[in-house]
């Protein structure tokens, strides 16, 4: 984990990772946060160098998030932000865990997993490929082959030390075993229907598959709060939202900015900054679940 709560901090963000991803991939986001905002980022139990937990599931994760808040953030106002599965997890914590929303100023779901769609994909070709891929990556990691063909961060756009740590993370077989368990668990998670705090949904413009369908699924996430915003990052895909510096800085702006104060309403339109960052086709060839 990485904790940065400076003396002048007036608020903090708790950052929850996507499936099969390390806490280091928030590096560009954290670097772009304002000086008065601290952060806590971490690997869930079983990932990287973190200790495996015999318990797993939502309640165990909620307890972990609460412990991190109590230990490192204390009474500071907090933003809960998560990417991919982490986006669902922070919103579920704020929605379902008793008193979790107290002190939370904003929830930011970044290209988050929508569990109903995930369940609908079970036993389809997409599900079979996801299952096969994680088993393959576990074998590649165990045999050392993953060093030559990383499953994620394929363009190595982080700082050199972050790229090295990311590569070592992906070369750990336990990473893929944990990801596979989380993938199966996520299909049993409840749909989120209500969130009693401001919510920003950040969506990648370019997604593998049907972009229009992906945008619609993401839009459904935003209606769970009466104070919501839906923001698209031009030129981004699921991974580059955090891996490309310009995209990550835009995500950081949404995290640190003023929370939405109004519902989307019947005539809502997704917001965008209008910036576009050139990314190669290769950057979109691999995407975590």
């Amino acid at each position: 984990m990485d904790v940065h709560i400076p003396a002048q901090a007036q608020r903090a963000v708790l950052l929850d990772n996507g499936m099969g991803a390390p806490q280091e991939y928030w590096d560009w986001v954290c670097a772009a946060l304002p000086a008065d905002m601290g952060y806590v980022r971490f690997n869930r139990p079983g990932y990287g160098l973190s200790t495996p937990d015999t318990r797993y599931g939502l309640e165990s994760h909620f307890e972990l998030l609460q412990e991190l808040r109590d230990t490192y953030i204390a009474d500071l106002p907090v933003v809960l932000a998560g990417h991919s599965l982490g986006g669902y997890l922070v919103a579920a914590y704020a929605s379902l865990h008793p008193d979790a929303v107290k002190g939370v100023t904003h929830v930011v779901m970044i290209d988050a997993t929508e569990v109903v769609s995930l369940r609908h994909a079970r036993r389809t070709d997409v599900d079979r490929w996801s299952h096969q891929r994680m088993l393959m990556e576990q074998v590649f990691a165990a045999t050392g082959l993953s060093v030559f063909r990383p499953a994620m961060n394929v363009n190595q756009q982080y700082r050199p030390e972050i790229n090295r740590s990311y590569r070592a993370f992906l070369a750990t077989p336990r990473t893929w075993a944990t990801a596979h368990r989380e993938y199966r668990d996520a299909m049993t998670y409840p749909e989120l229907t209500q969130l009693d705090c401001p919510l920003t949904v950040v969506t990648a413009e370019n997604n593998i598959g049907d972009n229009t369908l992906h945008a619609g699924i993401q839009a459904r996430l935003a209606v769970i709060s009466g104070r919501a915003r839906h923001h698209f990052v031009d030129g981004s895909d699921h991974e580059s939202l955090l891996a490309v510096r310009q995209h990550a800085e835009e995500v950081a702006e949404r995290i640190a900015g003023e929370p939405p104060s109004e519902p989307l309403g019947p005539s809502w339109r997704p917001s965008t900054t209008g910036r576009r960052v050139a990314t190669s086709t290769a950057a979109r060839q691999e995407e975590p679940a």
Side-chain angles (χ1 to χ4, degrees):
M1 63 185 300
D2 185 11
V3 178
H4 175 69
I5 308 291
Q8 72 271 30
Q10 300 297 311
R11 51 193 175 143
V13 57
L14 182 58
L15 299 163
D16 210 338
N17 305 340
M19 188 186 306
Q23 55 91 355
E24 287 91 340
Y25 84 159
W26 294 103
D27 192 61
W28 292 132
V29 170
C30 292
L33 294 174
D36 70 344
M37 191 169 203
Y39 62 81
V40 176
R41 63 193 203 199
F42 63 99
N43 286 338
R44 291 192 290 277
Y47 279 124
L49 299 179
S50 62
T51 304
D53 197 340
T54 56
R55 301 180 308 136
Y56 54 90
L58 284 183
E59 287 304 321
S60 177
H61 190 64
F62 293 165
E63 291 173 12
L64 174 60
L65 292 177
Q66 190 63 48
E67 182 180 356
L68 290 169
R69 286 183 65 185
D70 293 343
T71 303
Y72 299 106
I73 298 174
D75 296 327
L76 286 176
V78 64
V79 176
L80 302 173
H83 176 245
S84 197
L85 181 61
Y88 170 86
L89 291 172
V90 293
Y93 164 69
S95 176
L96 303 174
H97 193 57
D99 298 324
V101 77
K102 183 179 179 180
V104 174
T105 61
H106 194 186
V107 171
V108 183
M109 303 176 76
I110 304 160
D111 224 43
T113 299
E114 205 271 333
V115 294
V116 174
S117 299
L118 193 63
R119 278 199 291 275
H120 286 166
R122 185 154 195 175
R123 296 188 177 89
T124 65
D125 289 342
V126 172
D127 179 43
R128 283 187 285 271
W129 166 240
S130 297
H131 173 81
Q132 181 180 353
R133 181 188 173 212
M134 282 182 275
L135 291 178
M136 289 167 54
E137 295 297 343
Q138 192 171 351
V139 172
F140 292 157
T143 58
L145 294 176
S146 59
V147 173
F148 303 102
R149 193 205 59 82
M152 294 185 287
N153 194 29
V154 291
N155 285 348
Q156 304 282 294
Q157 297 194 63
Y158 291 103
R159 295 180 292 120
E161 59 268 34
I162 299 299
N163 287 329
R164 286 194 296 270
S165 182
Y166 207 148
R167 190 161 54 246
F169 177 89
L170 296 176
T172 305
R174 194 175 69 182
T175 287
W176 296 103
T178 302
H180 188 254
R181 188 187 71 188
E182 284 194 331
Y183 175 71
R184 288 305 183 203
D185 286 348
M187 290 186 172
T188 70
Y189 291 164
E191 179 183 7
L192 301 180
T193 59
Q194 185 173 359
L195 181 63
D196 191 23
C197 66
L199 170 66
T200 292
V201 173
V202 178
T203 298
E205 181 197 27
N206 295 319
N207 189 66
I208 291 178
D210 188 328
N211 283 330
T212 301
L213 176 61
H214 179 66
I217 290 171
Q218 290 283 295
R220 290 207 301 266
L221 297 173
V223 301
I224 66 174
S225 172
R227 292 165 287 172
R229 174 192 299 120
H230 190 186
H231 181 82
F232 278 74
V233 178
D234 278 347
S236 67
D237 59 39
H238 187 76
E239 183 176 303
S240 77
L241 276 169
L242 303 184
V244 172
R245 186 172 186 173
Q246 293 93 327
H247 293 163
E249 288 173 348
E250 192 169 329
V251 171
E253 289 175 9
R254 304 284 83 75
I255 291 173
E258 195 69 25
S261 58
E262 302 290 338
L264 289 181
S267 60
W268 73 275
R269 292 292 183 273
S271 66
T272 175
T273 64
R275 293 187 302 186
R276 181 174 289 273
V277 178
T279 55
S280 68
T281 303
R284 294 193 295 271
Q285 287 179 349
E286 299 279 358
E287 178 183 324

